Amino acid sequence: MIDVPLRVIPLLPAHDRMAFDSGSEPLNRYFRLQVSQDMRRRVTACFVALTSEQCIAGYYTLASASVLLTDLPATTAKKLPRYPSVPAVRMGRLAVDLGFRGQGLGGALLADAHDRAARAEIAAYALVVEAKDEPAADFYRHHGFIALSDSSMTLFLPLATVNKAR
Ligand SMILES: CC(C)(COP(=O)(O)OP(=O)(O)OC[C@H]1O[C@@H](n2cnc3c(N)ncnc32)[C@H](O)[C@@H]1OP(=O)(O)O)[C@@H](O)C(=O)NCCC(=O)NCCS
């Protein structure tokens, strides 16, 4: 488990994004060059895990989305109202700095995103993620996410499971 205190807060302009290195060039580039513009345009929200020295250990993004009822597994779809789609929250990106890997931070950020989406006043049925590769899909499955179909890299986790535990 991670042994330094971290807090997860919305990304601010004062945070130093340039030192962040997830080992994934597209995720680094997006975080360094694009995310603040997307936040200004309100097409994404970004949250960062910060050390007490204001170092960014990880980040994730959230935005509104929807999932077609016909894309969900039949067992899930049959329990939902017959609308064409259900509202969702998409976690577009999730990345942990190489210096903080394998210490539980990825799982903690996933739980934070899930909790944030489940607490929101605007309803969403599920948290949805787009796995960028097989290891990422494994990581999400390990945390209970379900693939839309066997071959799909889009996975979802219903938010109601969190609410029931409260
Ligand atoms: C994927 C990523 C976010 C995981 O972060 P992390 O902090 O190293 O992972 P954690 O230490 O929180 O792992 C939590 C749990 O997931 C498991 N896990 C981690 N990676 C896994 C994988 N590829 N497959 C299956 N399980 C995995 C760990 O074994 C751990 O299990 P436990 O809680 O039962 O002990 C990180 O490796 C990363 O930033 N990768 C590059 C970007 C990326 O792939 N992002 C995914 C979004 S597309």
PDB file of all heavy atoms in Angstrom, residues 1 20 22-24 27 91-97 100-109 129-140 142-143, ligand 1:
ATOM      1  N   MET A   1       0.827  -1.205   0.000  1.00  0.00           N
ATOM      2  CA  MET A   1       0.000   0.000   0.000  1.00  0.00           C
ATOM      3  C   MET A   1       0.865   1.259   0.000  1.00  0.00           C
ATOM      4  O   MET A   1       1.970   1.246   0.528  1.00  0.00           O
ATOM      5  CB  MET A   1      -0.905   0.036   1.232  1.00  0.00           C
ATOM      6  CG  MET A   1      -2.225  -0.702   1.056  1.00  0.00           C
ATOM      7  SD  MET A   1      -3.326   0.132  -0.112  1.00  0.00           S
ATOM      8  CE  MET A   1      -3.511  -1.125  -1.359  1.00  0.00           C
ATOM      9  N   PHE A  20       5.012  14.968 -14.429  1.00  0.00           N
ATOM     10  CA  PHE A  20       4.268  13.705 -14.352  1.00  0.00           C
ATOM     11  C   PHE A  20       4.688  12.759 -15.474  1.00  0.00           C
ATOM     12  O   PHE A  20       4.742  13.147 -16.637  1.00  0.00           O
ATOM     13  CB  PHE A  20       2.763  13.999 -14.437  1.00  0.00           C
ATOM     14  CG  PHE A  20       1.915  12.765 -14.372  1.00  0.00           C
ATOM     15  CD1 PHE A  20       1.629  12.171 -13.148  1.00  0.00           C
ATOM     16  CD2 PHE A  20       1.412  12.181 -15.526  1.00  0.00           C
ATOM     17  CE1 PHE A  20       0.859  11.025 -13.082  1.00  0.00           C
ATOM     18  CE2 PHE A  20       0.640  11.041 -15.467  1.00  0.00           C
ATOM     19  CZ  PHE A  20       0.363  10.465 -14.246  1.00  0.00           C
ATOM     20  N   SER A  22       3.687   8.817 -16.643  1.00  0.00           N
ATOM     21  CA  SER A  22       2.984   7.543 -16.440  1.00  0.00           C
ATOM     22  C   SER A  22       3.621   6.404 -17.217  1.00  0.00           C
ATOM     23  O   SER A  22       3.190   5.261 -17.101  1.00  0.00           O
ATOM     24  CB  SER A  22       1.529   7.694 -16.915  1.00  0.00           C
ATOM     25  OG  SER A  22       1.520   7.857 -18.322  1.00  0.00           O
ATOM     26  N   GLY A  23       4.620   6.750 -18.062  1.00  0.00           N
ATOM     27  CA  GLY A  23       5.206   5.729 -18.929  1.00  0.00           C
ATOM     28  C   GLY A  23       4.415   5.554 -20.213  1.00  0.00           C
ATOM     29  O   GLY A  23       4.834   4.831 -21.111  1.00  0.00           O
ATOM     30  N   SER A  24       3.271   6.208 -20.314  1.00  0.00           N
ATOM     31  CA  SER A  24       2.454   6.141 -21.535  1.00  0.00           C
ATOM     32  C   SER A  24       2.475   7.527 -22.179  1.00  0.00           C
ATOM     33  O   SER A  24       1.962   8.494 -21.612  1.00  0.00           O
ATOM     34  CB  SER A  24       1.014   5.732 -21.192  1.00  0.00           C
ATOM     35  OG  SER A  24       0.129   6.153 -22.219  1.00  0.00           O
ATOM     36  N   LEU A  27      -0.923   9.353 -22.721  1.00  0.00           N
ATOM     37  CA  LEU A  27      -1.527   9.823 -21.462  1.00  0.00           C
ATOM     38  C   LEU A  27      -0.733  10.992 -20.880  1.00  0.00           C
ATOM     39  O   LEU A  27      -1.312  11.917 -20.305  1.00  0.00           O
ATOM     40  CB  LEU A  27      -1.632   8.674 -20.451  1.00  0.00           C
ATOM     41  CG  LEU A  27      -2.708   7.635 -20.786  1.00  0.00           C
ATOM     42  CD1 LEU A  27      -2.552   6.385 -19.934  1.00  0.00           C
ATOM     43  CD2 LEU A  27      -4.096   8.221 -20.590  1.00  0.00           C
ATOM     44  N   MET A  91     -14.935   7.526 -17.442  1.00  0.00           N
ATOM     45  CA  MET A  91     -13.597   7.830 -16.986  1.00  0.00           C
ATOM     46  C   MET A  91     -12.701   7.696 -18.205  1.00  0.00           C
ATOM     47  O   MET A  91     -12.315   6.591 -18.601  1.00  0.00           O
ATOM     48  CB  MET A  91     -13.159   6.876 -15.865  1.00  0.00           C
ATOM     49  CG  MET A  91     -11.925   7.418 -15.176  1.00  0.00           C
ATOM     50  SD  MET A  91     -11.491   6.541 -13.691  1.00  0.00           S
ATOM     51  CE  MET A  91     -11.028   5.029 -14.435  1.00  0.00           C
ATOM     52  N   GLY A  92     -12.427   8.829 -18.840  1.00  0.00           N
ATOM     53  CA  GLY A  92     -11.730   8.818 -20.128  1.00  0.00           C
ATOM     54  C   GLY A  92     -10.282   8.386 -20.001  1.00  0.00           C
ATOM     55  O   GLY A  92      -9.752   7.696 -20.872  1.00  0.00           O
ATOM     56  N   ARG A  93      -9.646   8.829 -18.931  1.00  0.00           N
ATOM     57  CA  ARG A  93      -8.219   8.510 -18.745  1.00  0.00           C
ATOM     58  C   ARG A  93      -7.919   8.270 -17.276  1.00  0.00           C
ATOM     59  O   ARG A  93      -8.526   8.905 -16.407  1.00  0.00           O
ATOM     60  CB  ARG A  93      -7.349   9.660 -19.274  1.00  0.00           C
ATOM     61  CG  ARG A  93      -7.418   9.791 -20.785  1.00  0.00           C
ATOM     62  CD  ARG A  93      -6.650  10.995 -21.290  1.00  0.00           C
ATOM     63  NE  ARG A  93      -6.603  11.004 -22.753  1.00  0.00           N
ATOM     64  CZ  ARG A  93      -7.547  11.499 -23.535  1.00  0.00           C
ATOM     65  NH1 ARG A  93      -8.650  12.010 -23.028  1.00  0.00           N
ATOM     66  NH2 ARG A  93      -7.412  11.463 -24.858  1.00  0.00           N
ATOM     67  N   LEU A  94      -6.989   7.370 -17.033  1.00  0.00           N
ATOM     68  CA  LEU A  94      -6.515   7.079 -15.676  1.00  0.00           C
ATOM     69  C   LEU A  94      -5.038   6.746 -15.799  1.00  0.00           C
ATOM     70  O   LEU A  94      -4.662   5.895 -16.608  1.00  0.00           O
ATOM     71  CB  LEU A  94      -7.269   5.866 -15.096  1.00  0.00           C
ATOM     72  CG  LEU A  94      -6.659   5.218 -13.849  1.00  0.00           C
ATOM     73  CD1 LEU A  94      -6.790   6.120 -12.628  1.00  0.00           C
ATOM     74  CD2 LEU A  94      -7.350   3.875 -13.551  1.00  0.00           C
ATOM     75  N   ALA A  95      -4.200   7.423 -15.021  1.00  0.00           N
ATOM     76  CA  ALA A  95      -2.770   7.124 -15.097  1.00  0.00           C
ATOM     77  C   ALA A  95      -2.098   7.409 -13.763  1.00  0.00           C
ATOM     78  O   ALA A  95      -2.453   8.358 -13.062  1.00  0.00           O
ATOM     79  CB  ALA A  95      -2.103   7.957 -16.202  1.00  0.00           C
ATOM     80  N   VAL A  96      -1.124   6.561 -13.446  1.00  0.00           N
ATOM     81  CA  VAL A  96      -0.350   6.680 -12.214  1.00  0.00           C
ATOM     82  C   VAL A  96       1.106   6.927 -12.604  1.00  0.00           C
ATOM     83  O   VAL A  96       1.615   6.288 -13.542  1.00  0.00           O
ATOM     84  CB  VAL A  96      -0.503   5.384 -11.370  1.00  0.00           C
ATOM     85  CG1 VAL A  96       0.513   5.320 -10.238  1.00  0.00           C
ATOM     86  CG2 VAL A  96      -1.926   5.284 -10.816  1.00  0.00           C
ATOM     87  N   ASP A  97       1.774   7.850 -11.914  1.00  0.00           N
ATOM     88  CA  ASP A  97       3.181   8.133 -12.188  1.00  0.00           C
ATOM     89  C   ASP A  97       4.021   6.874 -11.910  1.00  0.00           C
ATOM     90  O   ASP A  97       3.744   6.131 -10.957  1.00  0.00           O
ATOM     91  CB  ASP A  97       3.660   9.285 -11.291  1.00  0.00           C
ATOM     92  CG  ASP A  97       5.058   9.735 -11.645  1.00  0.00           C
ATOM     93  OD1 ASP A  97       6.028   9.147 -11.103  1.00  0.00           O
ATOM     94  OD2 ASP A  97       5.188  10.652 -12.473  1.00  0.00           O
ATOM     95  N   PHE A 100       5.001   5.785  -8.501  1.00  0.00           N
ATOM     96  CA  PHE A 100       3.955   5.403  -7.539  1.00  0.00           C
ATOM     97  C   PHE A 100       3.222   4.122  -7.946  1.00  0.00           C
ATOM     98  O   PHE A 100       2.221   3.759  -7.348  1.00  0.00           O
ATOM     99  CB  PHE A 100       2.937   6.550  -7.382  1.00  0.00           C
ATOM    100  CG  PHE A 100       3.516   7.765  -6.706  1.00  0.00           C
ATOM    101  CD1 PHE A 100       4.211   8.706  -7.441  1.00  0.00           C
ATOM    102  CD2 PHE A 100       3.392   7.945  -5.336  1.00  0.00           C
ATOM    103  CE1 PHE A 100       4.757   9.830  -6.823  1.00  0.00           C
ATOM    104  CE2 PHE A 100       3.933   9.054  -4.704  1.00  0.00           C
ATOM    105  CZ  PHE A 100       4.619  10.006  -5.452  1.00  0.00           C
ATOM    106  N   ARG A 101       3.721   3.441  -8.987  1.00  0.00           N
ATOM    107  CA  ARG A 101       3.057   2.233  -9.498  1.00  0.00           C
ATOM    108  C   ARG A 101       3.058   1.089  -8.493  1.00  0.00           C
ATOM    109  O   ARG A 101       3.994   0.953  -7.702  1.00  0.00           O
ATOM    110  CB  ARG A 101       3.793   1.722 -10.732  1.00  0.00           C
ATOM    111  CG  ARG A 101       3.550   2.496 -11.974  1.00  0.00           C
ATOM    112  CD  ARG A 101       2.235   2.129 -12.632  1.00  0.00           C
ATOM    113  NE  ARG A 101       2.087   2.920 -13.843  1.00  0.00           N
ATOM    114  CZ  ARG A 101       2.562   2.543 -15.027  1.00  0.00           C
ATOM    115  NH1 ARG A 101       3.130   1.377 -15.153  1.00  0.00           N
ATOM    116  NH2 ARG A 101       2.423   3.326 -16.066  1.00  0.00           N
ATOM    117  N   GLY A 102       2.031   0.252  -8.596  1.00  0.00           N
ATOM    118  CA  GLY A 102       1.997  -0.997  -7.846  1.00  0.00           C
ATOM    119  C   GLY A 102       1.858  -0.825  -6.341  1.00  0.00           C
ATOM    120  O   GLY A 102       2.165  -1.731  -5.571  1.00  0.00           O
ATOM    121  N   GLN A 103       1.365   0.349  -5.928  1.00  0.00           N
ATOM    122  CA  GLN A 103       1.220   0.602  -4.481  1.00  0.00           C
ATOM    123  C   GLN A 103      -0.237   0.840  -4.096  1.00  0.00           C
ATOM    124  O   GLN A 103      -0.529   1.360  -3.030  1.00  0.00           O
ATOM    125  CB  GLN A 103       2.059   1.819  -4.077  1.00  0.00           C
ATOM    126  CG  GLN A 103       3.539   1.671  -4.377  1.00  0.00           C
ATOM    127  CD  GLN A 103       4.291   2.995  -4.185  1.00  0.00           C
ATOM    128  OE1 GLN A 103       4.253   3.600  -3.124  1.00  0.00           O
ATOM    129  NE2 GLN A 103       4.959   3.444  -5.233  1.00  0.00           N
ATOM    130  N   GLY A 104      -1.137   0.506  -5.026  1.00  0.00           N
ATOM    131  CA  GLY A 104      -2.570   0.645  -4.716  1.00  0.00           C
ATOM    132  C   GLY A 104      -3.183   1.952  -5.161  1.00  0.00           C
ATOM    133  O   GLY A 104      -4.387   2.173  -4.973  1.00  0.00           O
ATOM    134  N   LEU A 105      -2.386   2.849  -5.784  1.00  0.00           N
ATOM    135  CA  LEU A 105      -2.944   4.157  -6.148  1.00  0.00           C
ATOM    136  C   LEU A 105      -3.957   4.063  -7.295  1.00  0.00           C
ATOM    137  O   LEU A 105      -5.008   4.721  -7.258  1.00  0.00           O
ATOM    138  CB  LEU A 105      -1.814   5.146  -6.493  1.00  0.00           C
ATOM    139  CG  LEU A 105      -2.290   6.549  -6.866  1.00  0.00           C
ATOM    140  CD1 LEU A 105      -3.134   7.175  -5.756  1.00  0.00           C
ATOM    141  CD2 LEU A 105      -1.103   7.457  -7.181  1.00  0.00           C
ATOM    142  N   GLY A 106      -3.665   3.231  -8.291  1.00  0.00           N
ATOM    143  CA  GLY A 106      -4.619   3.065  -9.402  1.00  0.00           C
ATOM    144  C   GLY A 106      -5.974   2.613  -8.890  1.00  0.00           C
ATOM    145  O   GLY A 106      -7.019   3.165  -9.262  1.00  0.00           O
ATOM    146  N   GLY A 107      -5.962   1.624  -8.009  1.00  0.00           N
ATOM    147  CA  GLY A 107      -7.213   1.128  -7.419  1.00  0.00           C
ATOM    148  C   GLY A 107      -7.900   2.203  -6.592  1.00  0.00           C
ATOM    149  O   GLY A 107      -9.123   2.351  -6.644  1.00  0.00           O
ATOM    150  N   ALA A 108      -7.099   3.000  -5.866  1.00  0.00           N
ATOM    151  CA  ALA A 108      -7.675   4.065  -5.027  1.00  0.00           C
ATOM    152  C   ALA A 108      -8.305   5.154  -5.905  1.00  0.00           C
ATOM    153  O   ALA A 108      -9.377   5.684  -5.574  1.00  0.00           O
ATOM    154  CB  ALA A 108      -6.601   4.660  -4.130  1.00  0.00           C
ATOM    155  N   LEU A 109      -7.666   5.475  -7.032  1.00  0.00           N
ATOM    156  CA  LEU A 109      -8.228   6.493  -7.928  1.00  0.00           C
ATOM    157  C   LEU A 109      -9.519   5.992  -8.575  1.00  0.00           C
ATOM    158  O   LEU A 109     -10.473   6.745  -8.763  1.00  0.00           O
ATOM    159  CB  LEU A 109      -7.203   6.903  -8.993  1.00  0.00           C
ATOM    160  CG  LEU A 109      -6.046   7.761  -8.477  1.00  0.00           C
ATOM    161  CD1 LEU A 109      -5.031   8.017  -9.585  1.00  0.00           C
ATOM    162  CD2 LEU A 109      -6.534   9.089  -7.917  1.00  0.00           C
ATOM    163  N   VAL A 129     -15.527   2.836 -18.742  1.00  0.00           N
ATOM    164  CA  VAL A 129     -14.118   3.072 -19.085  1.00  0.00           C
ATOM    165  C   VAL A 129     -13.821   2.468 -20.450  1.00  0.00           C
ATOM    166  O   VAL A 129     -14.476   1.517 -20.886  1.00  0.00           O
ATOM    167  CB  VAL A 129     -13.158   2.446 -18.036  1.00  0.00           C
ATOM    168  CG1 VAL A 129     -13.269   3.135 -16.702  1.00  0.00           C
ATOM    169  CG2 VAL A 129     -13.375   0.942 -17.893  1.00  0.00           C
ATOM    170  N   GLU A 130     -12.805   3.052 -21.082  1.00  0.00           N
ATOM    171  CA  GLU A 130     -12.327   2.545 -22.384  1.00  0.00           C
ATOM    172  C   GLU A 130     -10.919   2.033 -22.129  1.00  0.00           C
ATOM    173  O   GLU A 130     -10.015   2.845 -21.933  1.00  0.00           O
ATOM    174  CB  GLU A 130     -12.314   3.729 -23.358  1.00  0.00           C
ATOM    175  CG  GLU A 130     -12.334   3.377 -24.811  1.00  0.00           C
ATOM    176  CD  GLU A 130     -13.659   2.751 -25.220  1.00  0.00           C
ATOM    177  OE1 GLU A 130     -14.716   3.326 -24.945  1.00  0.00           O
ATOM    178  OE2 GLU A 130     -13.579   1.659 -25.807  1.00  0.00           O
ATOM    179  N   ALA A 131     -10.728   0.725 -22.085  1.00  0.00           N
ATOM    180  CA  ALA A 131      -9.381   0.205 -21.812  1.00  0.00           C
ATOM    181  C   ALA A 131      -8.511   0.387 -23.049  1.00  0.00           C
ATOM    182  O   ALA A 131      -8.933   0.077 -24.160  1.00  0.00           O
ATOM    183  CB  ALA A 131      -9.457  -1.275 -21.433  1.00  0.00           C
ATOM    184  N   LYS A 132      -7.283   0.898 -22.845  1.00  0.00           N
ATOM    185  CA  LYS A 132      -6.448   1.183 -24.018  1.00  0.00           C
ATOM    186  C   LYS A 132      -5.739  -0.069 -24.531  1.00  0.00           C
ATOM    187  O   LYS A 132      -5.267  -0.092 -25.646  1.00  0.00           O
ATOM    188  CB  LYS A 132      -5.445   2.292 -23.715  1.00  0.00           C
ATOM    189  CG  LYS A 132      -4.353   1.939 -22.728  1.00  0.00           C
ATOM    190  CD  LYS A 132      -3.385   3.114 -22.618  1.00  0.00           C
ATOM    191  CE  LYS A 132      -2.293   2.859 -21.610  1.00  0.00           C
ATOM    192  NZ  LYS A 132      -1.479   1.645 -21.852  1.00  0.00           N
ATOM    193  N   ASP A 133      -5.656  -1.102 -23.704  1.00  0.00           N
ATOM    194  CA  ASP A 133      -5.029  -2.360 -24.133  1.00  0.00           C
ATOM    195  C   ASP A 133      -5.498  -3.485 -23.211  1.00  0.00           C
ATOM    196  O   ASP A 133      -6.255  -3.250 -22.266  1.00  0.00           O
ATOM    197  CB  ASP A 133      -3.493  -2.244 -24.159  1.00  0.00           C
ATOM    198  CG  ASP A 133      -2.923  -1.689 -22.850  1.00  0.00           C
ATOM    199  OD1 ASP A 133      -3.573  -1.856 -21.798  1.00  0.00           O
ATOM    200  OD2 ASP A 133      -1.827  -1.097 -22.879  1.00  0.00           O
ATOM    201  N   GLU A 134      -5.024  -4.713 -23.467  1.00  0.00           N
ATOM    202  CA  GLU A 134      -5.462  -5.877 -22.671  1.00  0.00           C
ATOM    203  C   GLU A 134      -5.078  -5.759 -21.191  1.00  0.00           C
ATOM    204  O   GLU A 134      -5.906  -6.029 -20.327  1.00  0.00           O
ATOM    205  CB  GLU A 134      -4.922  -7.183 -23.265  1.00  0.00           C
ATOM    206  CG  GLU A 134      -5.931  -8.052 -23.974  1.00  0.00           C
ATOM    207  CD  GLU A 134      -7.340  -8.124 -23.357  1.00  0.00           C
ATOM    208  OE1 GLU A 134      -7.472  -8.462 -22.167  1.00  0.00           O
ATOM    209  OE2 GLU A 134      -8.312  -7.862 -24.069  1.00  0.00           O
ATOM    210  N   PRO A 135      -3.821  -5.347 -20.861  1.00  0.00           N
ATOM    211  CA  PRO A 135      -3.494  -5.194 -19.435  1.00  0.00           C
ATOM    212  C   PRO A 135      -4.424  -4.202 -18.721  1.00  0.00           C
ATOM    213  O   PRO A 135      -4.825  -4.430 -17.576  1.00  0.00           O
ATOM    214  CB  PRO A 135      -2.042  -4.672 -19.446  1.00  0.00           C
ATOM    215  CG  PRO A 135      -1.485  -5.158 -20.741  1.00  0.00           C
ATOM    216  CD  PRO A 135      -2.619  -5.164 -21.719  1.00  0.00           C
ATOM    217  N   ALA A 136      -4.788  -3.118 -19.423  1.00  0.00           N
ATOM    218  CA  ALA A 136      -5.706  -2.141 -18.813  1.00  0.00           C
ATOM    219  C   ALA A 136      -7.080  -2.785 -18.606  1.00  0.00           C
ATOM    220  O   ALA A 136      -7.706  -2.622 -17.545  1.00  0.00           O
ATOM    221  CB  ALA A 136      -5.809  -0.891 -19.680  1.00  0.00           C
ATOM    222  N   ALA A 137      -7.542  -3.568 -19.591  1.00  0.00           N
ATOM    223  CA  ALA A 137      -8.839  -4.262 -19.456  1.00  0.00           C
ATOM    224  C   ALA A 137      -8.786  -5.237 -18.278  1.00  0.00           C
ATOM    225  O   ALA A 137      -9.745  -5.338 -17.500  1.00  0.00           O
ATOM    226  CB  ALA A 137      -9.188  -4.989 -20.756  1.00  0.00           C
ATOM    227  N   ASP A 138      -7.651  -5.932 -18.118  1.00  0.00           N
ATOM    228  CA  ASP A 138      -7.478  -6.853 -16.975  1.00  0.00           C
ATOM    229  C   ASP A 138      -7.569  -6.099 -15.649  1.00  0.00           C
ATOM    230  O   ASP A 138      -8.169  -6.585 -14.692  1.00  0.00           O
ATOM    231  CB  ASP A 138      -6.106  -7.541 -17.035  1.00  0.00           C
ATOM    232  CG  ASP A 138      -6.095  -8.690 -18.017  1.00  0.00           C
ATOM    233  OD1 ASP A 138      -7.189  -9.106 -18.440  1.00  0.00           O
ATOM    234  OD2 ASP A 138      -4.995  -9.155 -18.365  1.00  0.00           O
ATOM    235  N   PHE A 139      -6.911  -4.937 -15.622  1.00  0.00           N
ATOM    236  CA  PHE A 139      -6.934  -4.105 -14.410  1.00  0.00           C
ATOM    237  C   PHE A 139      -8.383  -3.752 -14.051  1.00  0.00           C
ATOM    238  O   PHE A 139      -8.794  -3.890 -12.903  1.00  0.00           O
ATOM    239  CB  PHE A 139      -6.089  -2.844 -14.654  1.00  0.00           C
ATOM    240  CG  PHE A 139      -6.215  -1.791 -13.586  1.00  0.00           C
ATOM    241  CD1 PHE A 139      -5.551  -1.922 -12.372  1.00  0.00           C
ATOM    242  CD2 PHE A 139      -6.989  -0.657 -13.798  1.00  0.00           C
ATOM    243  CE1 PHE A 139      -5.657  -0.940 -11.379  1.00  0.00           C
ATOM    244  CE2 PHE A 139      -7.096   0.321 -12.818  1.00  0.00           C
ATOM    245  CZ  PHE A 139      -6.434   0.186 -11.610  1.00  0.00           C
ATOM    246  N   TYR A 140      -9.165  -3.332 -15.053  1.00  0.00           N
ATOM    247  CA  TYR A 140     -10.559  -2.953 -14.776  1.00  0.00           C
ATOM    248  C   TYR A 140     -11.399  -4.173 -14.377  1.00  0.00           C
ATOM    249  O   TYR A 140     -12.202  -4.098 -13.455  1.00  0.00           O
ATOM    250  CB  TYR A 140     -11.173  -2.243 -15.991  1.00  0.00           C
ATOM    251  CG  TYR A 140     -10.582  -0.871 -16.229  1.00  0.00           C
ATOM    252  CD1 TYR A 140      -9.989  -0.540 -17.444  1.00  0.00           C
ATOM    253  CD2 TYR A 140     -10.605   0.103 -15.226  1.00  0.00           C
ATOM    254  CE1 TYR A 140      -9.439   0.720 -17.653  1.00  0.00           C
ATOM    255  CE2 TYR A 140     -10.056   1.358 -15.422  1.00  0.00           C
ATOM    256  CZ  TYR A 140      -9.472   1.662 -16.644  1.00  0.00           C
ATOM    257  OH  TYR A 140      -8.933   2.899 -16.839  1.00  0.00           O
ATOM    258  N   HIS A 142     -10.327  -6.797 -12.908  1.00  0.00           N
ATOM    259  CA  HIS A 142      -9.874  -7.111 -11.546  1.00  0.00           C
ATOM    260  C   HIS A 142     -10.672  -6.293 -10.517  1.00  0.00           C
ATOM    261  O   HIS A 142     -10.886  -6.729  -9.391  1.00  0.00           O
ATOM    262  CB  HIS A 142      -8.379  -6.788 -11.454  1.00  0.00           C
ATOM    263  CG  HIS A 142      -7.773  -7.018 -10.104  1.00  0.00           C
ATOM    264  ND1 HIS A 142      -7.295  -8.242  -9.707  1.00  0.00           N
ATOM    265  CD2 HIS A 142      -7.560  -6.182  -9.048  1.00  0.00           C
ATOM    266  CE1 HIS A 142      -6.819  -8.148  -8.464  1.00  0.00           C
ATOM    267  NE2 HIS A 142      -6.970  -6.914  -8.051  1.00  0.00           N
ATOM    268  N   HIS A 143     -11.106  -5.094 -10.912  1.00  0.00           N
ATOM    269  CA  HIS A 143     -11.858  -4.221 -10.009  1.00  0.00           C
ATOM    270  C   HIS A 143     -13.366  -4.318 -10.219  1.00  0.00           C
ATOM    271  O   HIS A 143     -14.105  -3.427  -9.804  1.00  0.00           O
ATOM    272  CB  HIS A 143     -11.378  -2.772 -10.153  1.00  0.00           C
ATOM    273  CG  HIS A 143     -10.023  -2.559  -9.547  1.00  0.00           C
ATOM    274  ND1 HIS A 143      -8.854  -2.708 -10.251  1.00  0.00           N
ATOM    275  CD2 HIS A 143      -9.646  -2.278  -8.267  1.00  0.00           C
ATOM    276  CE1 HIS A 143      -7.826  -2.497  -9.450  1.00  0.00           C
ATOM    277  NE2 HIS A 143      -8.280  -2.241  -8.256  1.00  0.00           N
TER     278      HIS A 143
HETATM  279  C1  LIG B   1      -3.168   0.759 -14.819  1.00  0.00           C
HETATM  280  C2  LIG B   1      -2.605   1.629 -13.701  1.00  0.00           C
HETATM  281  C3  LIG B   1      -3.479   2.874 -13.521  1.00  0.00           C
HETATM  282  C4  LIG B   1      -2.590   0.806 -12.394  1.00  0.00           C
HETATM  283  O1  LIG B   1      -2.135   1.634 -11.349  1.00  0.00           O
HETATM  284  P1  LIG B   1      -1.311   1.041 -10.108  1.00  0.00           P
HETATM  285  O2  LIG B   1      -1.300   2.096  -9.059  1.00  0.00           O
HETATM  286  O3  LIG B   1       0.002   0.538 -10.565  1.00  0.00           O
HETATM  287  O4  LIG B   1      -2.219  -0.208  -9.701  1.00  0.00           O
HETATM  288  P2  LIG B   1      -2.574  -0.654  -8.221  1.00  0.00           P
HETATM  289  O5  LIG B   1      -1.302  -0.750  -7.439  1.00  0.00           O
HETATM  290  O6  LIG B   1      -3.624   0.256  -7.677  1.00  0.00           O
HETATM  291  O7  LIG B   1      -3.213  -2.051  -8.453  1.00  0.00           O
HETATM  292  C5  LIG B   1      -4.410  -2.317  -7.782  1.00  0.00           C
HETATM  293  C6  LIG B   1      -4.791  -3.728  -7.996  1.00  0.00           C
HETATM  294  O8  LIG B   1      -4.954  -3.954  -9.402  1.00  0.00           O
HETATM  295  C7  LIG B   1      -4.151  -5.050  -9.787  1.00  0.00           C
HETATM  296  N1  LIG B   1      -3.614  -4.772 -11.111  1.00  0.00           N
HETATM  297  C8  LIG B   1      -2.799  -3.762 -11.478  1.00  0.00           C
HETATM  298  N2  LIG B   1      -2.543  -3.833 -12.800  1.00  0.00           N
HETATM  299  C9  LIG B   1      -3.211  -4.935 -13.246  1.00  0.00           C
HETATM  300  C10 LIG B   1      -3.329  -5.572 -14.503  1.00  0.00           C
HETATM  301  N3  LIG B   1      -2.732  -5.104 -15.588  1.00  0.00           N
HETATM  302  N4  LIG B   1      -4.124  -6.673 -14.590  1.00  0.00           N
HETATM  303  C11 LIG B   1      -4.773  -7.176 -13.510  1.00  0.00           C
HETATM  304  N5  LIG B   1      -4.680  -6.630 -12.286  1.00  0.00           N
HETATM  305  C12 LIG B   1      -3.910  -5.521 -12.170  1.00  0.00           C
HETATM  306  C13 LIG B   1      -3.025  -5.133  -8.756  1.00  0.00           C
HETATM  307  O9  LIG B   1      -2.543  -6.453  -8.675  1.00  0.00           O
HETATM  308  C14 LIG B   1      -3.765  -4.718  -7.494  1.00  0.00           C
HETATM  309  O10 LIG B   1      -4.484  -5.822  -6.963  1.00  0.00           O
HETATM  310  P3  LIG B   1      -4.866  -5.927  -5.402  1.00  0.00           P
HETATM  311  O11 LIG B   1      -5.568  -4.638  -5.025  1.00  0.00           O
HETATM  312  O12 LIG B   1      -5.770  -7.105  -5.344  1.00  0.00           O
HETATM  313  O13 LIG B   1      -3.559  -6.065  -4.716  1.00  0.00           O
HETATM  314  C15 LIG B   1      -1.114   2.036 -13.986  1.00  0.00           C
HETATM  315  O14 LIG B   1      -0.361   0.868 -14.215  1.00  0.00           O
HETATM  316  C16 LIG B   1      -0.941   2.993 -15.147  1.00  0.00           C
HETATM  317  O15 LIG B   1      -0.999   4.222 -14.973  1.00  0.00           O
HETATM  318  N6  LIG B   1      -0.699   2.430 -16.364  1.00  0.00           N
HETATM  319  C17 LIG B   1      -0.476   3.233 -17.545  1.00  0.00           C
HETATM  320  C18 LIG B   1      -1.746   3.861 -18.022  1.00  0.00           C
HETATM  321  C19 LIG B   1      -2.893   2.871 -18.168  1.00  0.00           C
HETATM  322  O16 LIG B   1      -2.747   1.746 -18.613  1.00  0.00           O
HETATM  323  N7  LIG B   1      -4.091   3.327 -17.780  1.00  0.00           N
HETATM  324  C20 LIG B   1      -5.285   2.510 -17.788  1.00  0.00           C
HETATM  325  C21 LIG B   1      -6.383   3.270 -18.426  1.00  0.00           C
HETATM  326  S1  LIG B   1      -6.597   2.953 -20.140  1.00  0.00           S
END
